[in-house]
């Protein structure tokens, strides 16, 4: 069974801070890794990463994959209170998610 | 395209009753995944289905839980003889194929409460 581990499990920052969330994986036949954001409802898709070293960006969010280290990071710059959520990563081979990082951004 | 539709949004059952949760995938999507989420926890994979086939049910309890995705109609997650520990949010996601480029689309979930 593929394994996805996220860290930290919980993070509290203040508005304007930059945060880095980590996801490491042990996945057989790796093809790609997914990041999702979950507020009080359904998870929403953020990024799909397939190639090592290529950064994907969407506004203040960016993510990169390191296949050598079997890991990915999700960066959020200039955080806002609306970024407060659970951030989930998953290996899409079997769509198993890590436990998530609960981010709280205080005003 | 209405997206992934789950119903009911909220379901209350007494211990020992049956719960039936429905998931209608996005149009053109033939892959469905079910997840369970306990409060303050991540998404736990339960089962992966394609039309008329269960591909991977390794995350589903062997007793009381079953899932199907018939040729016509929604995917159904069925929980028999519910217990308090079954209270959770149940999400489904769909995709047109495994490894879809833009990820998988989730429904809004069904919140099951067992009293």
């Amino acid at each position: 069974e593929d394994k996805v581990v996220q860290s930290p499990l919980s993070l509290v920052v203040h508005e304007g801070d930059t945060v880095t969330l980590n996801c490491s994986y042990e996945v057989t036949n790796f093809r790609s890794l997914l990041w999702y954001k979950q507020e009080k409802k359904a998870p929403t898709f953020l990024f799909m990463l397939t190639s090592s070293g290529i950064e994907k960006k969407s506004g203040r969010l960016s993510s990169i994959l390191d296949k050598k280290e079997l890991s990915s990071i999700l960066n959020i710059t200039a955080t806002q209170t609306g970024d407060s959520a659970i951030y989930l990563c998953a290996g899409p081979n079997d769509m198993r998610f890590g436990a998530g990082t609960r981010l709280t951004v205080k005003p | 395209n209405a997206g992934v539709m789950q119903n009911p949004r909220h379901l209350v059952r007494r211990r020992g009753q049956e719960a039936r949760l429905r998931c209608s995938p996005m149009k053109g999507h033939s892959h469905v995944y079910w997840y369970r989420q306990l409060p303050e926890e991540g998404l736990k994979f339960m089962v992966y289905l394609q039309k008329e086939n269960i591909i991977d049910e390794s995350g589903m309890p062997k007793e009381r839980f079953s899932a199907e995705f018939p040729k016509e109609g929604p995917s159904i997650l069925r929980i028999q003889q519910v217990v308090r520990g079954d209270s959770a949010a149940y999400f489904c996601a769909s995709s047109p194929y495994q490894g879809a480029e833009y990820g998988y689309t989730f429904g809004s979930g069904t919140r099951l409460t067992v009293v």
Side-chain angles (χ1 to χ4, degrees):
Chain A
E1 180 179 308
D2 295 347
K3 188 177 179 183
V4 179
V5 178
Q6 292 186 246
S7 63
L9 292 181
S10 180
L11 188 58
V12 181
V13 300
H14 288 92
E15 273 192 317
D17 289 349
T18 293
V19 297
T20 298
L21 311 182
N22 299 284
C23 177
S24 63
Y25 59 88
E26 295 174 15
V27 174
T28 56
N29 301 315
F30 177 87
R31 287 182 291 169
S32 52
L33 184 139
L34 305 171
W35 281 97
Y36 282 81
K37 175 183 181 182
Q38 185 182 25
E39 296 171 90
K40 289 191 184 296
K41 46 192 177 175
T44 53
F45 175 77
L46 293 176
F47 299 111
M48 182 177 220
L49 305 166
T50 55
S51 300
S52 196
I54 296 177
E55 185 182 54
K56 289 207 171 180
K57 286 180 70 74
S58 177
R60 294 176 295 100
L61 277 65
S62 64
S63 186
I64 196 163
L65 179 68
D66 185 338
K67 285 187 178 179
K68 190 175 179 182
E69 297 295 327
L70 303 182
S71 66
S72 173
I73 60 171
L74 175 68
N75 280 318
I76 309 175
T77 59
T79 52
Q80 304 170 357
T81 54
D83 295 327
S84 296
I86 299 174
Y87 291 84
L88 299 159
C89 73
N93 296 346
D94 62 358
M95 275 293 278
R96 280 172 166 81
F97 284 84
T101 294
R102 178 177 291 277
L103 174 66
T104 303
V105 182
K106 294 188 172 183
Chain B
N1 194 335
V4 178
M5 303 300 291
Q6 288 189 249
N7 66 80
R9 294 290 298 273
H10 300 276
L11 181 62
V12 179
R13 284 286 177 266
R14 295 186 185 279
R15 280 179 295 173
Q17 290 185 319
E18 178 181 288
R20 291 171 68 89
L21 288 62
R22 296 174 186 78
C23 171
S24 295
M26 288 183 70
K27 188 176 180 181
H29 286 196
S30 60
H31 296 239
V32 167
Y33 300 78
W34 283 95
Y35 296 86
R36 177 164 62 179
Q37 187 173 38
L38 296 171
E40 307 299 316
E41 293 189 11
L43 292 166
K44 185 175 184 298
F45 168 81
M46 296 183 75
V47 61
Y48 162 37
L49 309 105
Q50 292 181 29
K51 283 281 187 182
E52 300 184 275
N53 287 303
I54 296 174
I55 306 302
D56 181 353
E57 57 181 348
S58 59
M60 202 152 68
K62 296 206 183 321
E63 295 180 354
R64 303 188 299 108
F65 285 73
S66 63
E68 62 176 8
F69 189 14
K71 187 176 180 181
E72 302 290 337
S75 175
I76 306 286
L77 179 67
R78 184 179 176 210
I79 311 172
Q80 296 178 291
Q81 300 174 330
V82 295
V83 300
R84 288 232 172 98
D86 297 332
S87 295
Y90 292 83
F91 290 95
C92 77
S94 74
S95 72
Y97 50 88
Q98 192 175 26
E101 181 179 356
Y102 295 104
Y104 301 74
T105 304
F106 279 83
S108 296
T110 292
R111 299 196 181 277
L112 172 65
T113 302
V114 180
V115 297

